[in-house]
Amino acid sequence: MTDRLPASMAGAVDLSGLAARHARPAASQQPAPVDGAAAPQAGVGVIVDVGDADFAQIVELSRTVPVVIDIWAEWCGPCKQLTPILERLVTAYAGRIVLAKVDADQNPQLVQAFQAQSIPTVAAVIGGRPAALFTGAIPEAQVADVLEQVLAFAAQEGVTGRLPVGDAGDEPQEPVEPPLPPLHQEAHDALDRGDLVAAIDAYERAIVANPRDGEAVAGLANVRLLERLQGTTADGIREAAAAAPDDVAAQMLVADLDVSGGHVEDAFARLLDLVAATAGEQRQDVRLRLVDLFEIVGADDARVAAARRRLTTLLY
């Protein structure tokens, strides 16, 4: 990107090689959009799932309309907080922005190309040129500010097209999702405001009302993770743990950081080693932290099942 790029959009990466490897033969012959009008894009909506093999189409589309890239994973708790915010805001722009969702587990080339060292990672592609936006889950108001900056920069670059939306009456409509339970909605609203304490309180009340509310348990674990990492830096966390290898709290915080960045096996191995090395209340604290991280990653994940087996062996 040029030096006119806003500070929050700094950190350009080069995807030209990846796009070229998967480009369709006729792509270079497609005419450019005229006067900012949206070029025909068969099958492209404002929210799309993309992968390594079809990313060249997204690069081409970005010459008409700015594309925001959301790199996520099914097991990533912060992703589950951020992606719905991105979807809601992009939909509201009615074709002026496209959201391209990239499953990190299925698309390693894109993860590498965007230098995504943790997820969620959000980037933009404008006029065929990519730039990093932010990592981690942030409040909705901040996401909205970033999208406005994306649009402003796209306008500077002459990328002012709009995809047609809502005019194709024969296209199937997205199913309407049922409303969230009141306390879940209260937690989501609090997260949108960036109020982690209120979100934790709402989820805790939901669990008191229904101890078998698995979504509330997982939501609470995710928000607690965000709260523990709030105001920290990755370098600071790792330096503190390296300086105090016997500090259980510092080691647990590294495990939190690893899970937030997708290094699940590293996080579980660290905490399981701590279980083996501790006793009494310290061991209980580590066990409970592991249980929280199991909820974030998901009970059906093979890595959770393996860690549970080792934890049972250590405890019993």
Side-chain angles (χ1 to χ4, degrees), residues 75 255 258-259 261-269 293 297 301 303-304:
W75 47 263
D258 282 341
V259 165
H263 307 295
V264 174
E265 294 93 338
D266 291 343
F268 288 172
L293 299 186
V297 178
D301 191 290
R303 295 166 295 186
V304 171

Side-chain angles (χ1 to χ4, degrees), residues 71 110-119 121 261:
I71 302 177
L110 282 175
V111 171
Q112 182 178 10
F114 277 102
Q115 303 171 11
Q117 298 182 8
S118 64
I119 56 174
T121 286

Side-chain angles (χ1 to χ4, degrees), residues 265-281:
E265 294 93 338
D266 291 343
F268 288 172
R270 182 182 295 270
L271 292 185
L272 288 166
D273 288 346
L274 275 178
V275 169
T278 54
E281 290 186 6

Side-chain angles (χ1 to χ4, degrees), residues 46-50 58 67-71 98-102:
V46 296
I47 301 175
V48 294
D49 293 302
V50 298
I58 291 300
V67 180
V68 171
I69 310 294
D70 175 21
I71 302 177
V98 168
L99 175 65
K101 302 187 329 188
V102 176

Side-chain angles (χ1 to χ4, degrees), residues 47 70 78-91 99 101 140 177 188 192:
I47 301 175
D70 175 21
C79 299
K80 295 176 182 178
Q81 305 292 343
L82 177 65
T83 296
I85 293 174
L86 285 167
E87 291 177 342
R88 183 164 59 249
L89 292 174
V90 167
T91 299
L99 175 65
K101 302 187 329 188
E140 183 165 345
E177 294 186 5
H188 277 254
D192 287 346

